Amino acid sequence: MTNDLLQPAIAPQAKPFRLNTSQKALILFFVILAVFLALWELGAALKIFLPIMPSASQTLKDFWFWISDPFFDYGPNDKGIGLLLLTSLRRVMIGFLIGSAIAVPLGILIGLSPVVSQAVDPFIQILRPVSPLAWLPLGLALMRDSEKTALFVIAITSTWPTLMNTKFGVSNVDSSYLNVAKTLGASRWRTIRKVILPAAAPSIVAGLRISMGIAWLVIVAAEILLSGGIGYFIWNEWNNLKITSIITAILIVGLVGVLLDRLFALLQSWVSFGQRS
Amino acid sequence: MRSSYINPVSAPMETAAHLSIQNVSKIYPGRRSLLDKTLRRTSPDFTAIADIDLEIEPNTFVSIIGPSGCGKSTLLNIIAGLSYPTTGAIVLNGKPITGPGPDRGVVFQNYALMPWMTVAENIRFAVETVYPAMPLAQQKNIVHEYINLVGLRRAERKHPHELSGGMKQRVGIARALAINPQMLLMDEPFGALDALTRGFLQDEIERIWEQERKTVILITHSIEEALLLSDKIVMMTRGPAARIAQVLDVPFPRPRKREQLDQYPEYHELKAAMEHHLSFETRVVEESRIKATA
Ligand SMILES: Nc1ncnc2c1ncn2[C@@H]1O[C@H](COP(=O)(O)OP(=O)(O)OP(=O)(O)O)[C@@H](O)[C@H]1O
Ligand SMILES: [Mg+2]
């Protein structure tokens, strides 16, 4: 160490080429991707995998086919991936909106009132851990319609995280904000509107973000059992033994999931103003 | 009260608050429920302050100083109406205090600014809450007036997380004053600030107080701060059951300048008396703590 410092600079004009962390990470990312694709291609060429497994190049070709023309429509079982996504997204949005429209007001109510909170808690505790798919048959029985059942399942499963986070945010408002409102003599209603809700906004949005993630997880599973949308597509292509389409759909579902999550992350930083969460 | 709001900065003070603290004690109840008993974590009741009697004349600046943990915040919170005395009463202008209210402006040690509101919005929130019937233009005028008073004109559209601690507390002071309270209550308002900013804000408080006299109660740990700002200094004993040990009169003429204070012979006497009291009380507290741990 000290030796290094004492030595004269050997070639100061040859500034060493340095990469920052994210540049290094990007390079590593492409290396991993390339190695993965190469092994995949090699494995397929050497017939190491089962014959049903397509090669990497074939998969990439089919991936390009699907995303180069996303909106074709040749009948109910032959639609472009963009149209399928739109169907799934529409369901997720409607179900998520219904779920949030229940979760946010209810969360505020139970966050404000310890009595309501304790009274409602057993219902929440019991229903919350139930797998989303367990609601499917009940939905079918109640709605007698696959579309509505999908919305029902999405709505129910996207309720819980928002509900819990809203309740937490509302009941844990920094007491100094509440003291300010009290010393000003603010009415209960004004305190809720101007202090408690804005203070709880970061946790409410954090809840919405988790809910949206779960809704997007669940829609694929729900559509496999119902019909239409990207989930049904995956199941249909499995019946057609088109593995490349399945892989394409998986990648696209993942990308859309990331996009939705980023959107809510933006919203979250927008309501946070340097607060915690 | 609402109709009596006249242009607050330029108008002469027409509200003068006389505060009478009568025999106030605060006992924090200990833990002794059945659950606590089974978990063997009961604790006895804790008497924080006992038999506090104090008359505060209108438009005087009173500082409360005492060893750490003696119950200064407890007393101030009771005056603010955020907490209740176990015995005794606090009477403001002949009326007992029953809860918080805008006749007492509070400046908080941790600033307590709403992070989602800008500087102007924070002050505006206070004005609008206290004077909902006031015309919008007048509300805005008041907000601007107080932003100017504390010298934050250029920061009025900023959010609290973009401000330094000193600037935040200026907003806290402007917010407390903008509702034109009869009293100003401050609990270690500069406790979290560095020494230079603290000195600067003390000078500001002295300047603002010259413009706008109010009955002020300031809790502080700083002897110099108390001597610079106060008419009276209330020294409390150590807790538990803390009491008022002595009330000192600070006779220096106003406006005061920090640099000139030590020209007065009384300055050194008062300072020595306070140092003696505080170091004695603190030493006893620390010694009893050492004994308790040994
Ligand atoms: N809610 C409470 N329950 C029980 N004891 C409390 C409670 N609040 C304060 N105390 C106790 O009452 C005493 C006085 O507390 P207080 O905060 O009023 O002191 P303080 O003089 O403001 O102290 P500091 O100088 O550190 O701000 C302390 O011993 C504290 O432990
Ligand atoms: Mg305190």
Side-chain angles (χ1 to χ4, degrees), chain B residues 152-187:
Chain B
L152 280 180
R153 165 113 277 176
R154 285 168 58 199
E156 65 178 329
R157 297 233 178 100
K158 291 201 166 147
H159 283 89
H161 70 273
E162 301 168 284
L163 305 179
S164 69
M167 288 160 93
K168 284 184 197 161
Q169 197 54 295
R170 283 163 190 268
V171 183
I173 292 166
R175 177 176 64 186
L177 287 173
I179 60 171
N180 194 24
Q182 301 177 28
M183 288 192 77
L184 194 60
L185 308 176
M186 304 194 272
D187 189 351

Side-chain angles (χ1 to χ4, degrees), chain A residues 199-214:
Chain A
S203 15
I204 297 177
V205 176
L208 291 173
R209 185 176 173 187
I210 302 170
S211 284
M212 178 50 93
I214 290 184

Side-chain angles (χ1 to χ4, degrees), chain A residues 177 182-183 190 194-195 198 273, chain B residues 101-102 115-116 128-129 159 161:
Chain A
Y177 305 153
K182 273 191 214 159
T183 57
R190 187 168 168 80
K194 295 281 184 171
V195 180
F273 297 107
Chain B
W116 55 91
E128 202 178 51
T129 305
H159 283 89
H161 70 273

Side-chain angles (χ1 to χ4, degrees), chain A residues 68-134:
Chain A
S68 57
D69 183 15
F71 294 108
F72 67 82
D73 186 354
Y74 306 133
N77 279 343
D78 198 1
K79 289 185 202 295
I81 201 117
L83 287 179
L84 297 167
L85 267 178
L86 283 183
T87 307
S88 299
L89 274 174
R90 186 175 41 82
R91 286 174 172 166
V92 164
M93 286 304 155
I94 297 173
F96 172 78
L97 284 180
I98 296 172
S100 308
I102 297 167
V104 173
L106 189 62
I108 292 170
L109 188 68
I110 63 182
L112 288 174
S113 157
V115 177
V116 180
S117 171
Q118 280 186 29
V120 176
D121 200 51
F123 297 101
I124 297 174
Q125 293 307 330
I126 289 178
L127 296 182
R128 195 165 59 113
V130 174
S131 159
L133 298 184

Side-chain angles (χ1 to χ4, degrees), chain A residues 173-174 176-187 190-191 194-196 198-200 271-275, chain B residues 80 82 100-104 106 108 110-117 124-126 128-130 159 161 175 179:
Chain A
V173 173
D174 190 333
S176 53
Y177 305 153
L178 298 176
N179 281 343
V180 170
K182 273 191 214 159
T183 57
L184 294 170
S187 67
R190 187 168 168 80
T191 306
K194 295 281 184 171
V195 180
I196 294 178
V271 296
S272 283
F273 297 107
Q275 292 176 79
Chain B
L82 293 170
D103 47 355
R104 285 148 286 153
V106 184
F108 297 86
N110 62 355
Y111 323 123
L113 305 178
M114 315 287 173
W116 55 91
M117 297 180 189
R124 175 78 185 287
F125 170 71
E128 202 178 51
T129 305
V130 178
H159 283 89
H161 70 273
R175 177 176 64 186
I179 60 171

Side-chain angles (χ1 to χ4, degrees), chain B:
Chain B
M1 224 205 58
R2 266 162 207 169
S3 56
S4 75
Y5 200 116
I6 308 174
N7 191 341
V9 175
S10 35
M13 275 307 302
E14 20 104 50
T15 46
H18 177 274
L19 189 81
S20 166
I21 302 171
Q22 298 167 355
N23 194 29
V24 163
S25 308
K26 177 76 180 184
I27 300 172
Y28 289 109
R31 282 193 297 217
R32 47 162 161 232
S33 71
L34 208 59
L35 178 68
D36 293 324
K37 274 181 188 150
T38 48
L39 293 175
R40 288 163 164 264
R41 54 165 199 200
T42 54
S43 61
D45 290 352
F46 182 82
T47 307
I49 50 177
D51 305 322
I52 304 275
D53 273 295
L54 186 66
E55 295 293 319
I56 296 178
E57 299 301 323
N59 297 345
T60 43
F61 197 120
V62 176
S63 294
I64 300 179
I65 197 164
S68 175
C70 71
K72 305 179 292 293
S73 299
T74 301
L75 181 61
L76 199 81
N77 284 338
I78 294 173
I79 300 171
L82 293 170
S83 157
Y84 298 92
T86 312
T87 66
I90 296 190
V91 179
L92 178 61
N93 289 340
K95 276 191 229 131
I97 285 173
T98 54
D103 47 355
R104 285 148 286 153
V106 184
V107 178
F108 297 86
Q109 177 172 5
N110 62 355
Y111 323 123
L113 305 178
M114 315 287 173
W116 55 91
M117 297 180 189
T118 62
V119 166
E121 283 165 355
N122 264 288
I123 301 171
R124 175 78 185 287
F125 170 71
V127 175
E128 202 178 51
T129 305
V130 178
Y131 304 101
M134 182 185 282
L136 217 70
Q138 199 185 346
Q139 287 185 9
K140 281 191 179 154
N141 279 343
I142 292 169
V143 171
H144 281 139
E145 228 158 341
Y146 281 92
I147 285 177
N148 283 340
L149 182 73
V150 296
L152 280 180
R153 165 113 277 176
R154 285 168 58 199
E156 65 178 329
R157 297 233 178 100
K158 291 201 166 147
H159 283 89
H161 70 273
E162 301 168 284
L163 305 179
S164 69
M167 288 160 93
K168 284 184 197 161
Q169 197 54 295
R170 283 163 190 268
V171 183
I173 292 166
R175 177 176 64 186
L177 287 173
I179 60 171
N180 194 24
Q182 301 177 28
M183 288 192 77
L184 194 60
L185 308 176
M186 304 194 272
D187 189 351
E188 294 184 46
F190 315 129
L193 302 176
D194 63 272
L196 283 175
T197 313
R198 173 192 275 252
F200 196 58
L201 273 187
Q202 287 163 357
D203 294 342
E204 290 278 284
I205 287 281
E206 162 68 10
R207 173 181 68 79
I208 291 168
W209 199 68
E210 294 301 333
Q211 281 186 38
E212 207 173 330
R213 299 239 162 170
K214 290 199 186 292
T215 311
V216 179
I217 301 181
L218 168 79
I219 290 179
T220 178
H221 274 131
S222 158
I223 292 174
E224 287 79 15
E225 184 170 303
L227 285 170
L228 174 69
L229 297 172
S230 327
D231 298 313
K232 282 181 193 295
I233 298 174
V234 176
M235 296 200 295
M236 290 179 70
T237 65
R238 63 185 182 275
R243 289 156 200 277
I244 292 175
Q246 201 183 345
V247 180
L248 303 173
D249 278 303
V250 186
F252 316 134
R254 292 177 186 268
R256 295 175 184 165
K257 286 266 173 285
R258 172 189 310 278
E259 315 81 72
Q260 294 162 2
L261 279 187
D262 58 0
Q263 294 168 4
Y264 304 108
E266 299 102 316
Y267 179 80
H268 301 281
E269 286 162 29
L270 287 169
K271 197 171 167 187
M274 290 168 76
E275 268 164 6
H276 179 261
H277 171 79
L278 285 179
S279 64
F280 174 76
E281 294 288 327
T282 308
R283 186 166 53 219
V284 177
V285 172
E286 290 302 319
E287 273 168 4
S288 70
R289 275 194 196 134
I290 291 165
K291 256 182 227 147
T293 50

